[in-house]
């Protein structure tokens, strides 16, 4: 292996877009010394569809047809371009983010062209493979192909970076790892907090309660349930008006599309600006799937918005299952309240609990889990 450190980041995404994923990549790269870093975007199959037909990308039957068509039209072309990039840029380390079925297929086909003694293949796992498959509703045959490709990539990887302990435990079981050299491959690299400034006091507004939500509203059933609760109490608790501040685009199935004067919408912001903005609010709202079909998803993943609320030191209203990884972290550090979907919610009691949460609980959570400096040694093993 050469002494140079040249990284190629492979994923389905644009690094310059405002997203939790791009922030994750940039944050960890800042902590390393390297000669160069390049980015290779593997577009999803929606890229071959006109805007008017984009919805075919994820609905039953057509999703599989669209993916099949992409594989025929774009897969080999993308693979050739990827091989050319590796050779021309003399890459020594690959950071592969397994965030789409298209990228998993291409990278699996890439492996036979790689000298894994000369190039380190590192795979980052943000979401359960079951989540990626279910979100696209593809055929059973295609799902099996993706599973085999995914397993081959993980077994071929020098390191596997997991988002949480739950994800690590899940992969150890799925890959049937038991030997020390196998277990050493799995490391934890959560969504990091680069800069953390402890707050000395909470925001106080005598006549309003300000709840904020950031990101996409994928858990739309939980969202709708919470909006119904607020409607029933006329958006008032203990004589205070509740305002909802939303930074992100609502799911089309979410009741956020219905007009309410108490819901205020904002355009997406760069991360540092977002943190500065949302610290003026009282609480962060985090809905998460309460669905047995998504049990593996919620027990292995940690939503990026969780670290955003922790960085902002906002007590969290977690609206999701008790058994999730997010709920475990919130309980461990007492940084929020957990309300399960469809269970009764006494909002007045909930607000009282949130108000009693101490700000230094967030300091401890950051110090133990989200401080990026805790992960430098594991990060350097990727080079």
């Amino acid at each position: 292996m050469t002494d140079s450190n040249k990284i190629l980041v492979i994923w389905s995404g644009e690094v310059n877009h405002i997203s939790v994923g791009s922030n994750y990549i940039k944050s960890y790269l800042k902590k390393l010394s390297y000669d160069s870093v390049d980015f290779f975007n593997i577009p999803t199959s929606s890229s071959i569809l006109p805007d008017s037909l984009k919805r075919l990308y994820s609905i039953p039957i057509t999703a599989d047809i669209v993916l099949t068509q992409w594989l025929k039209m774009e897969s080999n072309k993308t693979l050739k371009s990827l091989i050319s990039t590796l050779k021309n840029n003399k890459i020594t380390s690959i950071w592969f983010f397994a965030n789409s079925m298209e990228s998993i297929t291409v990278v699996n086909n890439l492996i036979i062209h790689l000298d894994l003694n000369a190039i380190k293949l590192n795979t980052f796992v943000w979401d359960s493979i079951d989540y990626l498959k279910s979100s696209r509703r593809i055929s059973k045959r295609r799902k099996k192909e993706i599973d085999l490709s995914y397993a081959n990539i993980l077994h071929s990887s020098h390191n596997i970076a997991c988002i949480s302990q739950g994800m690590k435990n899940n992969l150890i079981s799925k890959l049937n790892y038991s030997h020390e050299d196998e277990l050493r491959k799995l490391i934890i690299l959560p969504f990091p907090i680069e800069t953390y400034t402890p707050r000395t006091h909470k925001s106080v507004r005598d006549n309003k309660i300000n709840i904020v939500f950031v990101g996409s509203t994928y858990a739309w059933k939980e969202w709708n349930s919470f909006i119904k609760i607020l409607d029933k109490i006329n958006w008032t608790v203990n004589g205070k008006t509740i305002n909802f501040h939303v930074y992100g685009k609502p799911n089309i199935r979410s009741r956020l599309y219905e007009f309410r004067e108490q819901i205020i919408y904002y355009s997406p912001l760069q991360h540092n600006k977002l943190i500065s903005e949302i610290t003026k609010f009282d609480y962060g709202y985090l809905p998460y799937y309460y669905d047995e079909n998504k049990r593996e998803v919620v027990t292995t993943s940690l939503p990026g918005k969780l670290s955003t609320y922790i960085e902002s030191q906002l007590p969290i209203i977690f609206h999701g299952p008790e058994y999730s990884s997010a709920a475990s972290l919130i309980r461990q550090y007492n940084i929020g309240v957990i309300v399960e979907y469809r269970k009764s919610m006494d909002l007045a009691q909930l607000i009282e609990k949130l108000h009693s949460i101490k700000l230094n609980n967030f300091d401890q959570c950051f110090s133990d889990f989200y401080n990026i400096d805790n992960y430098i040694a594991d990060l350097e093993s990727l080079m």
Side-chain angles (χ1 to χ4, degrees):
M1 206 171 204
T2 66
D3 292 330
S4 65
N5 289 315
K6 296 186 176 183
I7 302 169
L8 180 65
V9 176
I10 304 172
W11 71 325
S12 291
E14 295 289 347
V15 76
N16 291 322
H17 285 184
I18 299 173
S19 71
V20 172
S22 62
N23 288 335
Y24 177 101
I25 296 169
K26 291 173 184 176
S27 295
Y28 280 119
L29 284 173
K30 285 178 187 176
K31 289 292 180 177
L32 289 173
S33 296
Y34 50 82
D35 297 300
S36 65
V37 60
D38 294 284
F39 296 87
F40 192 96
N41 173 29
I42 298 178
T44 62
S45 49
S46 66
S47 62
I48 65 173
L49 297 171
D51 289 343
S52 60
L53 297 177
K54 293 290 188 190
R55 60 189 298 271
L56 299 180
Y57 165 72
S58 59
I59 63 176
I61 303 176
T62 54
D64 204 64
I65 294 171
V66 173
L67 179 57
T68 300
Q69 196 65 20
W70 185 91
L71 293 173
K72 288 179 180 177
M73 294 171 54
E74 301 294 332
S75 182
N76 286 336
K77 183 168 62 175
T78 304
L79 177 60
K80 288 178 182 178
S81 177
L82 181 52
I83 292 170
S84 175
T85 300
L86 286 164
K87 288 181 178 178
N88 293 340
N89 296 357
K90 298 179 180 178
I91 298 299
T92 59
S93 176
I94 293 172
W95 288 19
F96 170 53
F97 292 82
N99 66 334
S100 76
M101 287 180 284
E102 292 83 355
S103 64
I104 289 170
T105 301
V106 171
V107 171
N108 180 56
N109 292 334
L110 171 69
I111 288 172
I112 61 171
H113 300 278
L114 289 178
D115 178 357
L116 293 174
N117 292 316
I119 299 177
K120 275 189 179 181
L121 173 61
N122 304 293
T123 299
F124 290 71
V125 183
W126 286 340
D127 291 305
S128 157
I129 187 66
D130 285 351
Y131 172 72
L132 291 180
K133 291 184 297 184
S134 66
S135 65
R136 293 277 291 280
R137 306 180 189 182
I138 56 174
S139 67
K140 289 182 180 179
R141 179 183 64 83
R142 184 71 68 194
K143 286 179 181 179
K144 187 174 181 180
E145 290 174 359
I146 296 297
D147 281 336
L148 291 172
S149 296
Y150 184 64
N152 186 47
I153 291 170
L154 295 180
H155 284 300
S156 302
S157 296
H158 186 272
N159 288 295
I160 304 169
C162 309
I163 207 72
S164 69
Q165 184 64 50
M167 180 70 78
K168 181 177 178 179
N169 294 341
N170 177 269
L171 288 178
I172 288 172
S173 175
K174 283 197 166 186
L175 297 170
N176 198 27
Y177 279 178
S178 59
H179 297 296
E180 189 175 336
D181 57 336
E182 293 174 327
L183 297 174
R184 198 181 299 121
K185 285 174 56 172
L186 290 118
I187 61 177
I188 297 175
L189 292 176
F191 288 106
I193 296 175
E194 280 189 87
T195 55
Y196 181 88
T197 305
R199 291 167 61 188
T200 55
H201 62 279
K202 298 178 183 178
S203 300
V204 177
R205 287 179 178 80
D206 293 334
N207 62 337
K208 284 186 174 62
I209 294 170
N210 288 277
I211 302 172
V212 65
F213 173 84
V214 299
S216 59
T217 54
Y218 45 78
W220 60 272
K221 289 182 180 178
E222 289 71 21
W223 248 114
N224 290 349
S225 170
F226 194 57
I227 297 296
K228 285 178 184 177
I229 290 167
L230 292 172
D231 283 344
K232 283 182 180 178
I233 61 172
N234 200 28
W235 292 74
T236 305
V237 64
N238 295 334
K240 296 183 179 181
T241 300
I242 297 172
N243 282 339
F244 226 122
H245 305 266
V246 179
Y247 290 80
K249 184 179 179 181
N251 187 303
I252 196 165
R253 291 177 287 188
S254 167
R255 297 188 69 178
L256 285 178
Y257 266 110
E258 300 172 7
F259 173 77
R260 287 171 179 79
E261 62 179 353
Q262 299 91 345
I263 302 178
I264 304 108
Y265 298 95
Y266 303 82
S267 298
L269 296 172
Q270 291 287 355
H271 184 72
N272 290 341
K273 179 66 174 173
L274 177 66
I275 297 299
S276 175
E277 282 283 308
I278 69 175
T279 52
K280 65 187 178 186
F281 301 126
D282 302 307
Y283 312 116
Y285 177 63
L286 176 51
Y288 215 32
Y289 304 112
Y290 190 72
D291 181 343
E292 278 302 309
N293 293 326
K294 291 185 170 64
R295 178 178 277 266
E296 182 175 305
V297 176
V298 302
T299 55
T300 57
S301 298
L302 281 176
K305 53 183 69 67
L306 177 61
S307 62
T308 299
Y309 295 149
I310 291 168
E311 185 174 354
S312 306
Q313 293 143 74
L314 291 174
I316 299 159
I317 303 170
F318 180 76
H319 199 189
E322 292 269 1
Y323 54 75
S324 64
S325 290
S328 297
L329 192 75
I330 290 167
R331 266 195 309 270
Q332 180 180 352
Y333 291 99
N334 188 24
I335 53 175
V337 296
I338 298 158
V339 183
E340 289 213 339
Y341 176 58
R342 288 179 180 162
K343 288 194 175 180
S344 59
M345 183 188 295
D346 184 335
L347 211 53
Q349 187 180 61
L350 180 149
I351 295 296
E352 187 176 336
K353 287 182 180 179
L354 288 167
H355 187 68
S356 68
I357 289 172
K358 297 177 180 177
L359 287 175
N360 60 12
N361 294 358
F362 293 93
D363 302 345
Q364 191 64 50
C365 182
F366 162 73
S367 177
D368 291 350
F369 189 72
Y370 281 107
N371 187 344
I372 194 170
D373 292 332
N374 295 345
Y375 303 99
I376 298 301
D378 282 335
L379 193 60
E380 289 176 343
S381 71
L382 305 180
M383 303 296 286

